[in-house]
Amino acid sequence: MSNMGGYDYLIIGNSAGAVGCIEGLRSVDKSGTMALVSEEECRVYSRALIPYYLGGHIARDRLYYRPLDFYDRAHVGVFNGHRAVKIDTAVRMVKLDDGNSMSYGKLLIAAGGKPFYPPIPGLDKKNVYSFHSMSDVQGIEKELPGVRSAVVLGGGVIGLMAAEVLHGKGIRVHVLELADRLLAPVVDETTSQLVENALRETGVDLYLNNTIGQIHGGERVESITLKDGRTIPCDLLIVGVGVAPRVELAEHAGIQVNRGIVVDKKMQTSVPGIFACGDCASTYNFLTDAVQNMPLWPNAYLGGRVAGYNMAGAEREYTLGTQMNAMHFFDVNIVSAGINVTEANQNDSLDIIKNYDAEKKVYRKFVFSKEGTITGFILVGQIDRAGIFLNLMRRKVDVRGFRKEMFKNSFGYADLPETLRWQLLQDDVILGVV
Amino acid sequence: MGRIMAKPEVCMGCHLCEVWCAVAHSKSKHIVKAFLYEVNKPLPRLVVEEKLPLTFALQCRHCAEPDCVAACISGALSKDPESGIVVHDPNQCVGCYSCVLTCPYGNILINPRQRGIIKCDLCAGMDTLYCVSRCPNEALVYVDC
Ligand SMILES: Cc1cc2nc3c(=O)[nH]c(=O)nc-3n(C[C@H](O)[C@H](O)[C@H](O)COP(=O)(O)OP(=O)(O)OC[C@H]3O[C@@H](n4cnc5c(N)ncnc54)[C@H](O)[C@@H]3O)c2cc1C
Ligand code: SF4
Ligand code: SF4
């Protein structure tokens, strides 16, 4: 047991949050010593690219999120293949699984999330994988040649991406979803329906209001019996029901946790000098004014970036975070952002406009606050320039004067009232006075 | 690092900036050949905002803290630390459209030919900023800042 040295800045994790921190921090402090500890063996890759790689759209070397020389150029010491097992906040030390320890001046926990496995006996069999890490990729790849029928547990974003990949390989795919519709947490009923249609049209088997009753087989899953009694042959089982924030390190160190590790707008935890970001954290959502777990790539990167600035002493706040998803399933493009208002949670005080063109399969929905600001939106089929809506939402612009215009596919800054338009564009886009 | 600013009061909505942007990013860089003979018809990387009589061209701001780069799940978008240009690497891009959702100006354009995007590269490697130099009314100006 020895001390592997002290660093001004130490990061636990090696993904979006860690990279955001390194890049933010190094734009301020070029000389402070910095290191990261990562349980995974490989250099930083994007887990969000797993579907594209397994689907055959990109080569293996494109899973990597930053070039090979990224850490060297940023002067970051990398300790791959090591798990941090304990944070001792009193002496500012992190203990690793091999008994060694490292001390830090400032610490970032960017430990991400762990795929959640429901308590169904048999999920520990060999041909069961989540869709989350490089080790899943390697495992699934080995299985693929022998798979004729696959079961995907979970009809959320990750489950559906897995289903599309497997379907593309000519595999018979069965998607099981406990809720009565797909993607329920992130989109409304109409959007779910559009996705459901797209899936059914391509021949993916959907089982809503359903889950696994029993798993059959020895070392490997051979078939499953559904809750409703039907039996499906199964050569590969993908568990994609959600990701739980990895908070155990923080919890044991006495850091405040509320689902995720709670941070303030500077991304600092309840213990000064310790920061957190990404899937393991609960961060500020400007629409709900609450601290929430928002496990999304941009949220991890930006949270990490802001943490990096603050760790280096440059004050910054991350105040523009909220739920946002850009998705596509079987070529249906969808974006959703903000609060997901559905028929189930809709009430009379909410002001909603929507427009559905069944023929073109184009759908738009906007939800407004009492003050006329956008609090949520969904676009399906036509997503061009969606960022303008996100910008209006982030800037809390009262859109009552032009909200119908927002149904236009060509909606842009020209459609805004004059004063507002020039207000938003004056500094960055327009030369002179208008 | 500079950027291209618009002067709406002198823009007449001729869309020549779009035309020349497309030509600049075509194979032949020749206005007739590009549109008539190239298999992949050239595409512009900027938008002319239009609500007559108002028109003005809008292209990527190469933001200091670009939201598109933060959102990019593949690393295809990056901000060059030296030039300040926000660069897109089409070989790394998977077409997830996270950048389309996050660019506040709507300046990431969906590539209609294949899953992916196109954006302004400030005419990297070319001898001139095409939209600026070909605007007949000088409604686009490159400003150092
Ligand atoms: C298949 C898939 C597709 C996705 N697609 C999208 C998408 O299109 N858009 C989007 O916004 N989001 C997407 N996401 C979500 C996105 O990938 C995550 O939000 C993002 O990866 C979170 O980054 P992070 O830095 O918080 O942590 P993670 O990416 O979870 O990484 C955390 C790292 O920390 C390591 N670690 C954890 N604990 C320790 C420890 N004690 N010691 C050492 N190392 C440790 C882990 O091994 C891991 O490498 C997708 C996710 C998946 C799985
Ligand atoms: S694409 Fe949009 S967000 Fe990205 S740098 Fe350009 S203007 Fe900024
Ligand atoms: S569409 Fe391409 S450039 Fe845009 S965020 Fe996705 S991978 Fe990055």
Side-chain angles (χ1 to χ4, degrees), chain A residues 93-109:
Chain A
M93 290 264 260
V94 170
K95 203 173 151 196
L96 306 186
D97 52 357
D98 61 1
N100 289 316
S101 46
M102 301 163 94
S103 57
Y104 62 84
K106 302 253 167 61
L107 176 70
L108 175 74
I109 310 174

Side-chain angles (χ1 to χ4, degrees), chain A residues 210-252:
Chain A
N210 224 327
T211 184
I212 299 176
Q214 220 186 332
I215 291 175
H216 311 285
E219 276 197 328
R220 300 170 57 84
V221 180
E222 283 158 16
S223 65
I224 59 142
T225 303
L226 295 172
K227 207 181 62 178
D228 68 9
R230 283 181 282 178
T231 295
I232 305 171
C234 175
D235 311 310
L236 175 69
L237 174 55
I238 304 283
V239 181
V241 294
V243 171
R246 290 183 70 167
V247 297
E248 61 281 358
L249 272 177
E251 223 157 28
H252 291 141

Side-chain angles (χ1 to χ4, degrees), chain B residues 68 71-77 88 92-100 108 116-117:
Chain B
C68 62
C72 179
I73 63 166
S74 72
L77 287 166
H88 177 243
Q92 184 66 21
C93 175
V94 293
C96 71
Y97 301 147
S98 301
C99 51
V100 175
I108 298 266
I117 59 111

